[in-house]
């Protein structure tokens, strides 16, 4: 089961993701993250993938969509703690993931 825990510290919003990210779950994650981001207009959105066990291309779309949203709010997106298998997929898509 996919889950997201959202934590806000000042102008920074962290979304801690866990479980599997596929087409269905990405839509639910997108809704929850976008709702909070629209409310708090973060200068930085951190997507923490440390608990993600599987991700298909829908996860890439999730990241790119959040980047577009937060950029319109004047902020940036950071992807961190992606497992190696997901890090490779992100690298192919041109997305940098931090440790």
């Amino acid at each position: 089961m996919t889950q997201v825990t959202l934590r806000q510290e000042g102008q920074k919003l962290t979304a801690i993701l866990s479980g599997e990210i596929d087409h269905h779950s990405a839509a639910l994650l997108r809704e929850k993250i976008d709702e909070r981001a629209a409310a708090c207009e973060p200068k930085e959105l951190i997507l923490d993938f440390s608990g993600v066990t599987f991700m298909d291309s829908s996860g890439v779309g999730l990241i790119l969509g959040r980047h577009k949203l937060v950029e319109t709010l004047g902020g940036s997106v950071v992807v961190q703690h992606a497992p190696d298998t997901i890090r490779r997929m992100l690298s192919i898509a041109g997305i940098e993931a931090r440790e």
Side-chain angles (χ1 to χ4, degrees):
M1 175 179 223
T2 304
Q3 295 183 320
V4 61
T5 301
L6 297 166
R7 294 188 181 144
Q8 184 178 349
E9 297 174 27
Q11 289 290 337
K12 179 170 51 174
L13 177 61
T14 302
I16 303 166
L17 309 169
S18 63
E20 298 183 356
I21 300 177
D22 58 16
H23 176 73
H24 177 71
S25 61
L28 298 172
L29 295 171
R30 183 171 38 253
E31 183 180 311
K32 290 179 182 180
I33 294 169
D34 288 2
E35 182 179 293
R36 178 68 74 86
C40 71
E41 298 186 4
K43 294 299 176 194
E44 183 176 52
L45 171 62
I46 298 172
L47 299 174
D48 184 329
F49 278 75
S50 58
V52 176
T53 56
F54 169 84
M55 183 179 90
D56 65 14
S57 61
S58 300
V60 173
L62 175 72
I63 295 167
L64 296 176
R66 290 340 84 219
H67 174 74
K68 185 175 180 178
L69 170 68
V70 174
E71 190 175 65
T72 64
L73 299 172
S76 62
V77 173
V78 174
V79 176
Q80 68 181 21
H81 304 303
D84 288 340
T85 55
I86 293 172
R87 185 180 297 275
R88 282 191 289 278
M89 180 188 298
L90 295 177
S91 177
I92 291 167
I95 299 171
E96 181 184 340
R98 296 182 186 171
E99 286 296 318

